[in-house]
Amino acid sequence: MTEQQTGTAPDQARETRRRQAGIAAFLVGLVATLTFFAFFPGLPHVIDWGAILVSLAVGALARWAYRSWTTRTAKKAERM
């Protein structure tokens, strides 16, 4: 029974780190896009609903890209 518990602990820790990194990637994408809309010269310096929706989409795209990249590198490491 203890073998089963120790076998799942590294997987659970890896999934927790992966989830936290996905959240961080989402927040970085969100904040970077909001910052772009707020301070880029030539744009109206107003954060409207369109900018918020685009920022959410960019954050989701950043999260998806990060998770895809980590999955791909993990599969490469397993093959070696």
Side-chain angles (χ1 to χ4, degrees):
M1 181 135 158
T2 57
E3 292 117 14
Q4 291 175 349
Q5 291 176 350
T6 58
T8 59
D11 293 335
Q12 188 177 20
R14 184 180 309 124
E15 186 60 33
T16 301
R17 281 192 311 267
R18 191 171 178 229
R19 187 178 310 117
Q20 290 173 346
I23 292 169
F26 174 80
L27 290 175
V28 166
L30 178 84
V31 170
T33 307
L34 283 175
T35 303
F36 173 80
F37 281 119
F39 297 110
F40 195 80
L43 291 175
H45 298 293
V46 177
I47 301 294
D48 59 353
W49 284 108
I52 293 171
L53 292 176
V54 168
S55 297
L56 289 172
V58 169
L61 181 65
R63 180 180 182 268
W64 172 80
Y66 177 78
R67 289 182 63 98
S68 174
W69 177 66
T70 56
T71 301
R72 187 173 55 240
T73 55
K75 286 181 182 178
K76 283 183 183 179
E78 287 177 0
R79 285 188 223 156
M80 296 177 125

